Amino acid sequence: KALAEAFAPMAPGPWAERFGGDFSGEACYKCTFTPDVPVREGDFFLLTLGEVRYSARVTVNGREAGLTAMQPYQVRFPAEEGPITVEIHVANTPANQILATDSFTRWPQAEIGTYHEKTLLFEKESLDGGLYGPVALTLLRPEEA
């Protein structure tokens, strides 16, 4: 089900408290800022997300900037004068939804197969979702790259 919430402040960390233990999906973190140093041609920003569970897609001023699904969870994009709006769309796995459903009890083990039992062990390890951070934005000059 879709949550019809407007943007609201949310601290880094797990989603369970805000969205419930069975939430599987995507949430968007949004920030608008103006660089406090002059931006020159050829500069770029390095956005480091810290810990993410489990993938993140970043847009900058509505344009796709990058997708990251493993450490070091970083996205580079061309620097520009502000204001700059960065959106970090974080998605977790379907583990929460799979473990919360009773749909699998409707069929006998012989029909589901043994694979389902084994995947439940993996799903239990993949329950968290969220942007844990720390999040950092660094302006890099071409001579520093």
Side-chain angles (χ1 to χ4, degrees):
K1 84 182 170 185
L3 298 176
E5 277 186 50
F7 281 96
M10 184 170 171
W15 290 344
E17 218 172 273
R18 181 168 185 109
F19 301 128
D22 62 345
F23 178 76
S24 290
E26 183 179 291
C28 179
Y29 298 80
K30 182 177 181 178
C31 175
T32 300
F33 69 96
T34 300
D36 58 357
V37 295
V39 174
R40 302 186 309 221
E41 187 175 333
D43 289 351
F44 63 91
F45 286 115
L46 177 65
L47 178 64
T48 303
L49 302 177
E51 186 176 349
V52 174
R53 297 194 187 154
Y54 282 89
S55 66
R57 181 176 56 86
V58 177
T59 64
V60 176
N61 292 336
R63 297 181 307 272
E64 292 292 326
L67 176 67
T68 180
M70 63 182 60
Q71 287 289 350
Y73 293 108
Q74 294 179 329
V75 174
R76 280 176 46 158
F77 54 92
E80 56 188 89
E81 296 293 331
I84 299 169
T85 299
V86 175
E87 292 186 0
I88 305 166
H89 301 262
V90 175
N92 66 350
T93 71
N96 304 63
Q97 190 173 9
I98 289 170
L99 290 172
T101 185
D102 65 353
S103 295
F104 295 106
T105 62
R106 298 177 188 166
W107 294 280
Q109 175 79 28
E111 285 187 49
I112 295 175
T114 58
Y115 182 74
H116 174 66
E117 289 284 320
K118 293 176 180 147
T119 59
L120 288 179
L121 297 173
F122 169 75
E123 301 299 348
K124 286 178 185 176
E125 295 175 1
S126 304
L127 287 178
D128 292 337
L131 175 61
Y132 286 68
V135 177
L137 184 70
T138 307
L139 175 66
L140 297 176
R141 310 265 186 215
E143 59 272 12
E144 299 169 342

